[in-house]
Amino acid sequence: MRVTSGIDLVVIGADGGPDRAFGGTAQAAEGARALAEVLPGMCFDTGTAGSRVAVVDPGADANTMLTAVREAAARPGRWLLVCLVGQLVADPRGRRLALVTGGSTADNAYRRGLAWDWVVSAMVHGDQEEALLLVDAVVDKDTWAALERGGGEDGLGELLNYSRVPLWGRIGRHAPGRYTPGRRGRDTVLPGGPGSFSQSLTTVLRQGIAGAPAAVGPLDLQPAVGALLDGGTPPGAGSGAPANQPDAPGVRLLVPPEGGRLLMRNRAAVRGALAGLSLSEELLALLWRESAPTDPPSA
Protein backbone atom coordinates (compact mmCIF):
# COMPACT_ATOMS: atom_id res chain seq x y z
CA MET A 1 0.00 0.00 0.00
CA ARG A 2 1.38 3.36 -1.02
CA VAL A 3 1.47 5.95 1.77
CA THR A 4 1.66 9.61 0.76
CA SER A 5 2.50 12.53 2.97
CA GLY A 6 1.05 16.02 2.93
CA ILE A 7 2.94 18.81 1.19
CA ASP A 8 6.45 19.24 -0.19
CA LEU A 9 7.42 22.90 -0.32
CA VAL A 10 10.55 24.20 -2.07
CA VAL A 11 11.25 27.91 -1.62
CA ILE A 12 13.87 29.63 -3.77
CA GLY A 13 14.64 33.30 -3.26
CA ALA A 14 17.64 33.96 -5.50
CA ASP A 15 19.97 36.87 -4.81
CA GLY A 16 21.58 37.86 -8.10
CA GLY A 17 24.45 39.70 -6.43
CA PRO A 18 25.76 43.25 -6.79
CA ASP A 19 25.32 43.70 -10.55
CA ARG A 20 23.14 46.78 -11.05
CA ALA A 21 21.14 45.04 -13.77
CA PHE A 22 19.89 42.48 -11.24
CA GLY A 23 18.77 44.84 -8.50
CA GLY A 24 15.36 43.18 -8.76
CA THR A 25 16.71 40.39 -6.57
CA ALA A 26 17.57 42.64 -3.62
CA GLN A 27 14.70 41.48 -1.40
CA ALA A 28 14.08 38.03 -2.86
CA ALA A 29 15.52 36.27 0.19
CA GLU A 30 13.10 38.15 2.47
CA GLY A 31 10.12 37.07 0.39
CA ALA A 32 11.31 33.48 0.39
CA ARG A 33 11.70 33.47 4.17
CA ALA A 34 8.19 34.86 4.62
CA LEU A 35 6.66 32.18 2.39
CA ALA A 36 8.61 29.41 4.12
CA GLU A 37 7.45 30.60 7.55
CA VAL A 38 3.76 30.98 6.70
CA LEU A 39 2.78 28.44 4.04
CA PRO A 40 3.37 25.15 5.91
CA GLY A 41 1.17 25.98 8.90
CA MET A 42 -1.61 27.27 6.66
CA CYS A 43 -2.21 24.02 4.77
CA PHE A 44 -5.66 23.04 5.99
CA ASP A 45 -5.38 19.29 6.41
CA THR A 46 -1.65 18.86 6.96
CA GLY A 47 -0.23 21.77 8.93
CA THR A 48 3.42 22.11 9.81
CA ALA A 49 3.75 18.49 10.96
CA GLY A 50 2.61 17.22 7.55
CA SER A 51 4.93 19.46 5.54
CA ARG A 52 8.47 18.98 4.28
CA VAL A 53 10.12 22.31 3.58
CA ALA A 54 13.31 23.00 1.65
CA VAL A 55 14.57 26.61 1.70
CA VAL A 56 17.43 27.06 -0.77
CA ASP A 57 20.26 29.43 0.14
CA PRO A 58 19.85 32.77 -1.70
CA GLY A 59 23.38 32.56 -3.06
CA ALA A 60 23.13 28.96 -4.30
CA ASP A 61 23.89 28.04 -7.89
CA ALA A 62 21.34 26.71 -10.37
CA ASN A 63 22.36 23.06 -9.87
CA THR A 64 21.74 23.27 -6.13
CA MET A 65 18.34 24.88 -6.70
CA LEU A 66 17.31 22.31 -9.30
CA THR A 67 18.45 19.46 -7.05
CA ALA A 68 16.16 20.72 -4.28
CA VAL A 69 13.20 20.74 -6.67
CA ARG A 70 13.98 17.30 -8.07
CA GLU A 71 14.44 15.74 -4.63
CA ALA A 72 11.11 17.12 -3.45
CA ALA A 73 9.37 16.02 -6.65
CA ALA A 74 10.71 12.47 -6.23
CA ARG A 75 9.01 11.99 -2.87
CA PRO A 76 5.46 10.55 -2.96
CA GLY A 77 3.02 13.14 -1.66
CA ARG A 78 -0.24 14.96 -2.16
CA TRP A 79 1.05 18.40 -3.16
CA LEU A 80 4.24 19.89 -4.50
CA LEU A 81 4.58 23.65 -4.10
CA VAL A 82 7.60 25.40 -5.60
CA CYS A 83 8.16 29.13 -4.98
CA LEU A 84 10.45 31.16 -7.26
CA VAL A 85 11.30 34.64 -5.97
CA GLY A 86 13.73 36.91 -7.80
CA GLN A 87 14.48 38.18 -11.29
CA LEU A 88 13.84 36.31 -14.54
CA VAL A 89 15.90 36.77 -17.69
CA ALA A 90 15.35 35.55 -21.24
CA ASP A 91 17.85 33.75 -23.44
CA PRO A 92 19.30 35.73 -26.37
CA ARG A 93 16.61 34.43 -28.73
CA GLY A 94 13.82 35.47 -26.35
CA ARG A 95 12.29 32.01 -26.13
CA ARG A 96 13.30 30.64 -22.73
CA LEU A 97 13.40 31.97 -19.17
CA ALA A 98 15.79 31.51 -16.26
CA LEU A 99 15.88 32.72 -12.67
CA VAL A 100 18.97 34.90 -12.13
CA THR A 101 21.37 33.35 -9.62
CA GLY A 102 24.23 34.80 -7.57
CA GLY A 103 27.28 36.25 -9.29
CA SER A 104 25.53 36.68 -12.64
CA THR A 105 26.51 39.29 -15.18
CA ALA A 106 24.67 40.63 -18.21
CA ASP A 107 26.68 38.25 -20.41
CA ASN A 108 26.10 35.02 -18.51
CA ALA A 109 22.87 35.47 -16.51
CA TYR A 110 20.80 33.12 -18.64
CA ARG A 111 23.50 30.44 -18.95
CA ARG A 112 24.16 30.23 -15.22
CA GLY A 113 20.55 30.80 -14.12
CA LEU A 114 17.88 28.29 -13.08
CA ALA A 115 16.02 27.49 -16.29
CA TRP A 116 12.22 27.76 -16.05
CA ASP A 117 11.69 24.65 -18.17
CA TRP A 118 13.96 22.62 -15.86
CA VAL A 119 11.75 23.49 -12.91
CA VAL A 120 8.52 22.80 -14.78
CA SER A 121 9.82 19.49 -16.13
CA ALA A 122 10.80 18.32 -12.64
CA MET A 123 7.36 19.24 -11.33
CA VAL A 124 5.52 17.59 -14.21
CA HIS A 125 7.38 14.33 -13.63
CA GLY A 126 7.05 14.51 -9.85
CA ASP A 127 5.44 11.87 -7.64
CA GLN A 128 2.81 14.20 -6.16
CA GLU A 129 -0.90 14.20 -6.92
CA GLU A 130 -0.97 17.96 -7.60
CA ALA A 131 1.58 20.70 -8.18
CA LEU A 132 1.54 24.51 -8.03
CA LEU A 133 4.29 26.96 -9.01
CA LEU A 134 4.28 30.27 -7.10
CA VAL A 135 6.13 33.08 -8.86
CA ASP A 136 7.16 36.46 -7.44
CA ALA A 137 9.49 37.93 -10.04
CA VAL A 138 10.56 40.90 -12.11
CA VAL A 139 12.08 41.07 -15.59
CA ASP A 140 14.12 43.65 -17.49
CA LYS A 141 12.77 45.59 -20.46
CA ASP A 142 14.06 43.13 -23.07
CA THR A 143 12.54 40.11 -21.32
CA TRP A 144 9.31 42.04 -20.82
CA ALA A 145 9.20 42.81 -24.55
CA ALA A 146 9.63 39.10 -25.29
CA LEU A 147 6.76 38.30 -22.91
CA GLU A 148 4.59 40.89 -24.62
CA ARG A 149 5.24 39.34 -28.02
CA GLY A 150 3.94 36.05 -26.59
CA GLY A 151 2.50 33.90 -29.37
CA GLY A 152 3.96 30.84 -31.02
CA GLU A 153 4.82 27.55 -29.41
CA ASP A 154 8.31 28.84 -28.56
CA GLY A 155 7.20 32.25 -27.30
CA LEU A 156 7.74 33.31 -23.69
CA GLY A 157 4.07 34.20 -23.36
CA GLU A 158 3.20 30.56 -23.86
CA LEU A 159 5.21 29.65 -20.77
CA LEU A 160 2.94 31.83 -18.64
CA ASN A 161 -0.43 31.27 -20.29
CA TYR A 162 -0.22 27.55 -21.05
CA SER A 163 2.24 26.19 -18.56
CA ARG A 164 2.23 22.47 -17.84
CA VAL A 165 1.82 23.20 -14.14
CA PRO A 166 -0.61 25.71 -12.58
CA LEU A 167 0.90 29.14 -11.87
CA TRP A 168 0.11 31.70 -9.21
CA GLY A 169 1.88 34.98 -8.65
CA ARG A 170 3.10 38.22 -10.18
CA ILE A 171 5.69 39.22 -12.76
CA GLY A 172 6.59 42.90 -13.02
CA ARG A 173 8.86 44.91 -15.25
CA HIS A 174 11.89 46.26 -13.41
CA ALA A 175 13.87 49.37 -14.31
CA PRO A 176 17.44 48.95 -13.00
CA GLY A 177 18.62 51.68 -10.69
CA ARG A 178 15.17 53.07 -9.89
CA TYR A 179 14.72 51.29 -6.57
CA THR A 180 15.24 53.41 -3.47
CA PRO A 181 15.01 51.74 -0.03
CA GLY A 182 12.08 53.11 1.97
CA ARG A 183 10.33 54.55 -1.06
CA ARG A 184 7.29 52.80 -2.44
CA GLY A 185 5.83 53.22 -5.89
CA ARG A 186 4.77 51.15 -8.85
CA ASP A 187 8.25 51.34 -10.32
CA THR A 188 9.93 50.16 -7.11
CA VAL A 189 8.09 46.92 -6.25
CA LEU A 190 10.67 44.19 -5.81
CA PRO A 191 10.00 40.47 -5.30
CA GLY A 192 9.77 39.94 -1.57
CA GLY A 193 9.34 43.65 -0.83
CA PRO A 194 6.29 45.80 0.01
CA GLY A 195 3.52 45.38 -2.56
CA SER A 196 5.00 42.12 -3.89
CA PHE A 197 3.19 38.84 -4.30
CA SER A 198 5.19 37.18 -1.51
CA GLN A 199 4.31 39.85 1.04
CA SER A 200 0.69 40.13 -0.11
CA LEU A 201 0.07 36.39 0.08
CA THR A 202 1.67 36.01 3.50
CA THR A 203 -0.34 38.97 4.81
CA VAL A 204 -3.63 37.48 3.59
CA LEU A 205 -2.80 34.07 5.05
CA ARG A 206 -1.93 35.57 8.43
CA GLN A 207 -5.03 37.77 8.58
CA GLY A 208 -7.56 35.58 6.80
CA ILE A 209 -10.59 36.67 4.77
CA ALA A 210 -13.69 37.77 6.65
CA GLY A 211 -16.84 35.97 5.53
CA ALA A 212 -15.01 33.21 3.66
CA PRO A 213 -15.15 29.52 4.63
CA ALA A 214 -12.68 28.01 7.06
CA ALA A 215 -10.85 26.30 4.19
CA VAL A 216 -10.06 28.27 1.04
CA GLY A 217 -8.21 27.49 -2.17
CA PRO A 218 -5.75 29.67 -4.10
CA LEU A 219 -8.47 31.06 -6.36
CA ASP A 220 -10.51 32.07 -3.29
CA LEU A 221 -7.48 33.92 -1.92
CA GLN A 222 -6.58 35.66 -5.16
CA PRO A 223 -8.96 38.68 -4.91
CA ALA A 224 -7.62 39.57 -1.46
CA VAL A 225 -4.02 39.04 -2.57
CA GLY A 226 -4.60 41.10 -5.72
CA ALA A 227 -6.04 43.96 -3.71
CA LEU A 228 -2.73 44.26 -1.83
CA LEU A 229 -0.49 44.06 -4.87
CA ASP A 230 1.09 47.34 -5.94
CA GLY A 231 0.41 47.90 -9.63
CA GLY A 232 -1.63 44.75 -10.16
CA THR A 233 -4.79 44.21 -12.19
CA PRO A 234 -8.20 44.19 -10.46
CA PRO A 235 -9.36 40.90 -8.91
CA GLY A 236 -10.91 38.61 -11.51
CA ALA A 237 -8.54 39.48 -14.37
CA GLY A 238 -7.36 36.51 -16.38
CA SER A 239 -3.96 34.86 -16.17
CA GLY A 240 -1.30 36.93 -17.84
CA ALA A 241 -3.46 40.07 -18.02
CA PRO A 242 -1.42 43.30 -18.01
CA ALA A 243 -1.99 46.04 -15.46
CA ASN A 244 -4.66 48.52 -16.45
CA GLN A 245 -2.77 51.60 -15.26
CA PRO A 246 -1.17 53.26 -18.31
CA ASP A 247 1.65 54.69 -16.16
CA ALA A 248 2.59 51.32 -14.64
CA PRO A 249 5.88 49.86 -15.88
CA GLY A 250 4.11 46.56 -16.55
CA VAL A 251 2.61 43.79 -14.45
CA ARG A 252 1.30 40.34 -15.21
CA LEU A 253 -0.75 38.50 -12.64
CA LEU A 254 -0.68 34.72 -12.79
CA VAL A 255 -4.09 33.71 -11.48
CA PRO A 256 -4.51 30.11 -10.26
CA PRO A 257 -7.04 27.96 -12.13
CA GLU A 258 -10.31 26.69 -10.77
CA GLY A 259 -10.36 23.30 -9.12
CA GLY A 260 -7.58 21.57 -7.29
CA ARG A 261 -7.67 20.18 -3.78
CA LEU A 262 -5.08 22.39 -2.09
CA LEU A 263 -6.84 24.18 0.75
CA MET A 264 -5.47 26.79 3.13
CA ARG A 265 -6.70 27.78 6.58
CA ASN A 266 -8.78 30.95 6.80
CA ARG A 267 -7.85 32.38 10.18
CA ALA A 268 -10.60 34.99 9.99
CA ALA A 269 -13.24 32.25 9.87
CA VAL A 270 -11.86 30.61 13.02
CA ARG A 271 -11.74 33.93 14.85
CA GLY A 272 -15.31 34.68 13.80
CA ALA A 273 -16.55 31.31 14.97
CA LEU A 274 -14.92 31.69 18.36
CA ALA A 275 -15.94 35.30 18.93
CA GLY A 276 -19.50 34.56 19.98
CA LEU A 277 -18.83 31.45 22.01
CA SER A 278 -18.05 30.96 25.66
CA LEU A 279 -15.41 28.25 25.69
CA SER A 280 -13.03 26.86 28.24
CA GLU A 281 -9.34 27.59 27.93
CA GLU A 282 -8.71 23.89 27.24
CA LEU A 283 -11.11 23.83 24.28
CA LEU A 284 -9.74 27.08 22.90
CA ALA A 285 -6.25 25.63 23.04
CA LEU A 286 -7.43 22.54 21.16
CA LEU A 287 -9.12 24.57 18.42
CA TRP A 288 -6.10 26.78 17.92
CA ARG A 289 -3.49 24.04 18.15
CA GLU A 290 -3.24 23.46 14.41
CA SER A 291 -2.83 27.18 13.75
CA ALA A 292 0.21 27.42 16.03
CA PRO A 293 3.68 26.04 15.32
CA THR A 294 3.82 22.40 16.33
CA ASP A 295 7.48 21.65 15.80
CA PRO A 296 9.72 21.83 18.89
CA PRO A 297 12.35 24.59 18.88
CA SER A 298 15.74 23.55 17.62
CA ALA A 299 18.39 22.99 20.22
Side-chain angles (χ1 to χ4, degrees):
M1 179 179 178
R2 180 184 179 188
V3 178
T4 59
S5 64
I7 182 172
D8 280 277
L9 174 65
V10 181
V11 185
I12 300 173
D15 185 345
D19 194 299
R20 179 176 177 271
F22 306 127
T25 69
Q27 295 181 280
E30 296 177 31
R33 283 194 295 269
L35 291 170
E37 289 172 2
V38 175
L39 280 172
M42 290 294 103
C43 294
F44 186 76
D45 57 354
T46 61
T48 304
S51 300
R52 292 179 292 202
V53 184
V55 182
V56 182
D57 186 273
D61 60 21
N63 286 332
T64 301
M65 295 176 178
L66 182 60
T67 297
V69 176
R70 286 176 171 171
E71 289 179 349
R75 292 190 288 262
R78 299 177 65 184
W79 297 288
L80 172 63
L81 265 65
V82 176
C83 307
L84 299 182
V85 186
Q87 185 163 338
L88 297 170
V89 65
D91 72 308
R93 301 175 65 186
R95 293 183 176 180
R96 303 175 71 189
L97 283 173
L99 184 72
V100 174
T101 55
S104 296
T105 67
D107 294 330
N108 66 16
Y110 175 77
R111 292 195 305 275
R112 68 180 297 156
L114 176 64
W116 179 282
D117 50 321
W118 294 352
V119 175
V120 170
S121 178
M123 297 179 71
V124 166
H125 295 97
D127 207 14
Q128 284 78 18
E129 297 174 8
E130 294 186 21
L132 180 64
L133 178 57
L134 278 66
V135 183
D136 185 6
V138 291
V139 297
D140 60 21
K141 61 182 181 64
D142 293 334
T143 303
W144 181 262
L147 288 172
E148 289 289 90
R149 288 195 296 271
E153 63 181 30
D154 293 326
L156 288 188
E158 297 298 305
L159 295 177
L160 304 184
N161 291 328
Y162 304 103
S163 178
R164 291 174 293 172
V165 296
L167 304 177
W168 189 18
R170 175 191 190 273
I171 296 179
R173 186 174 125 188
H174 174 60
R178 299 181 69 179
Y179 173 68
T180 303
R183 175 177 173 266
R184 184 177 180 187
R186 289 191 175 91
D187 60 341
T188 65
V189 177
L190 299 184
S196 69
F197 174 75
S198 299
Q199 294 295 339
S200 299
L201 175 58
T202 54
T203 296
V204 170
L205 289 175
R206 287 186 175 115
Q207 295 178 351
I209 305 174
V216 290
L219 194 60
D220 302 313
L221 294 167
Q222 175 58 29
V225 173
L228 294 180
L229 291 174
D230 192 0
T233 53
S239 176
N244 65 349
Q245 293 101 346
D247 58 339
V251 173
R252 284 182 178 239
L253 293 188
L254 308 173
V255 179
E258 295 185 23
R261 291 171 291 177
L262 177 64
L263 295 176
M264 312 300 285
R265 289 190 175 96
N266 179 15
R267 284 185 164 177
V270 177
R271 286 194 296 269
L274 296 179
L277 298 177
S278 176
L279 302 174
S280 67
E281 291 185 1
E282 292 80 8
L283 182 54
L284 283 172
L286 177 64
L287 291 172
W288 279 103
R289 184 174 58 189
E290 287 299 321
S291 296
T294 56
D295 296 337
S298 57

